[in-house]
Amino acid sequence: MRKILFIIVCTFHCISGLAQKATEQFDLLKGVMMQLTDVKDYHMPGQHKAPARMPIVSYDNQHLYITPHYNIPDAQIIIRDETDNIIYDINTALTGSCSVIILPQYVMENKYSIELVYSEKHYIGFFIY
């Protein structure tokens, strides 16, 4: 009986430790609120136009996660520092499921804003500290 109780307690302890670790990893992921910079209104009065679907951008200590709502064969990603200098610039393909970009440590330490340009759309977002 003691062995069974001991095994149950150990199992519970291990499961709760894993759950806490998973929660801590999830808490480290931060989001970036993106907004469309070009808000020209090309539709005629009386017509209804659906708003542009914003890409989902988040990051942790070393990775940038970008999830557009469809595959993008050629997207430009620009990261700037607080003085508006470009510290990272890349052209890459993005998948609708999620694209992960590993950023250098210098970029992660000095990031301030991100620009995402594709399909004649220009999004900008600011990193949360």
Side-chain angles (χ1 to χ4, degrees):
M1 184 70 168
R2 284 184 172 182
K3 288 182 181 181
I4 293 173
L5 184 60
F6 179 72
I7 291 172
I8 291 172
V9 170
C10 287
T11 304
F12 178 73
H13 181 68
C14 290
I15 291 172
S16 64
L18 288 173
Q20 183 179 3
K21 191 173 188 177
T23 304
E24 289 171 358
Q25 288 176 350
F26 182 74
D27 289 342
L28 294 177
L29 196 62
K30 299 177 184 174
V32 176
M33 180 61 79
M34 300 298 287
Q35 64 185 31
L36 188 62
T37 59
D38 186 17
V39 290
K40 293 179 184 174
D41 207 0
Y42 291 113
H43 67 280
M44 303 281 280
Q47 290 181 338
H48 298 285
K49 184 177 179 184
R53 296 180 72 184
M54 300 292 167
I56 299 168
V57 178
S58 56
Y59 64 98
D60 58 17
N61 292 333
Q62 188 179 6
H63 302 93
L64 182 66
Y65 305 93
I66 302 175
T67 308
H69 295 283
Y70 49 89
N71 292 341
I72 300 167
D74 187 32
Q76 182 180 17
I77 301 165
I78 303 167
I79 298 178
R80 297 178 185 268
D81 62 8
E82 287 189 56
T83 57
D84 209 30
N85 294 323
I86 295 174
I87 57 174
Y88 189 78
D89 186 0
I90 187 173
N91 288 327
T92 187
L94 300 175
T95 62
S97 57
C98 184
S99 297
V100 180
I101 300 170
I102 300 172
L103 297 174
Q105 188 63 30
Y106 173 78
V107 173
M108 294 307 294
E109 292 171 355
N110 296 299
K111 66 191 177 308
Y112 179 72
S113 68
I114 181 171
E115 295 176 40
L116 186 56
V117 182
Y118 61 88
S119 304
E120 298 180 8
K121 292 182 176 73
H122 187 177
Y123 297 94
I124 189 167
F126 296 92
F127 291 97
I128 302 168
Y129 291 100

